[in-house]
Amino acid sequence: YLLSARSLGEELDVPAFSAIATTTGASVLLGTAAISGIPIRPASGEAFLYLLLAALIPQLVGHTAITWALHRTSPALSGIAILGEPVGAAIIGWLWLGQNIPFGVGAGCALTIAAVALAVLKRADEERPANATVQ
């Protein structure tokens, strides 16, 4: 996904590419469930709402943002930044759902964010022109 998006360069139409990728993913998921005999029906109307929200927010917004970021950075750096997604999920679960974050998970989250930050800062430092001054 990342390499395909990046290879298109400036010709990449972010909304179109995201729509194709999301539709492909949904088709493969639904097709696999159908072939496996897994019924595709939500347990309730509320469950359907949350499934819809899960499809719209992280998939459409998140993956579209990743695709857009590929105009500005490398697939490797985008891939490293994606490692922060579980950290965001843990924080949302804590804030919104009141879930506890065990010490080991919290330590892993902190380590992940530190590693992502180091990678992003190192990349920014490498891309800065040699004669640029820090203000």
Side-chain angles (χ1 to χ4, degrees):
Y1 175 83
L2 299 176
L3 294 174
S4 296
R6 183 62 177 182
S7 70
L8 295 172
E10 293 301 318
E11 297 174 15
L12 176 65
D13 181 347
V14 172
F17 189 87
S18 295
I20 291 168
T22 307
T23 302
T24 301
S27 299
V28 169
L29 180 64
L30 292 172
T32 302
I35 291 169
S36 302
I38 299 170
I40 306 294
R41 61 181 175 273
S44 67
E46 183 180 14
F48 179 75
L49 172 66
Y50 286 115
L51 287 170
L52 184 63
L53 289 173
L56 291 176
I57 297 169
Q59 292 299 316
L60 291 179
V61 174
H63 285 269
T64 300
I66 292 166
T67 304
W68 176 83
L70 287 167
H71 278 293
R72 304 192 179 276
T73 189
S74 70
L77 189 56
S78 295
I80 289 169
I82 291 171
L83 296 174
E85 282 184 323
V87 176
I91 292 169
I92 289 170
W94 175 62
L95 292 173
W96 189 14
L97 303 174
Q99 294 179 344
N100 291 328
I101 299 177
F103 177 78
V105 173
C109 288
L111 184 62
T112 299
I113 292 300
V116 169
L118 284 172
V120 169
L121 291 172
K122 183 174 182 346
R123 179 67 179 201
D125 209 32
E126 290 172 353
E127 290 180 355
R128 185 178 297 128
N131 58 355
T133 58
V134 177
Q135 297 180 0

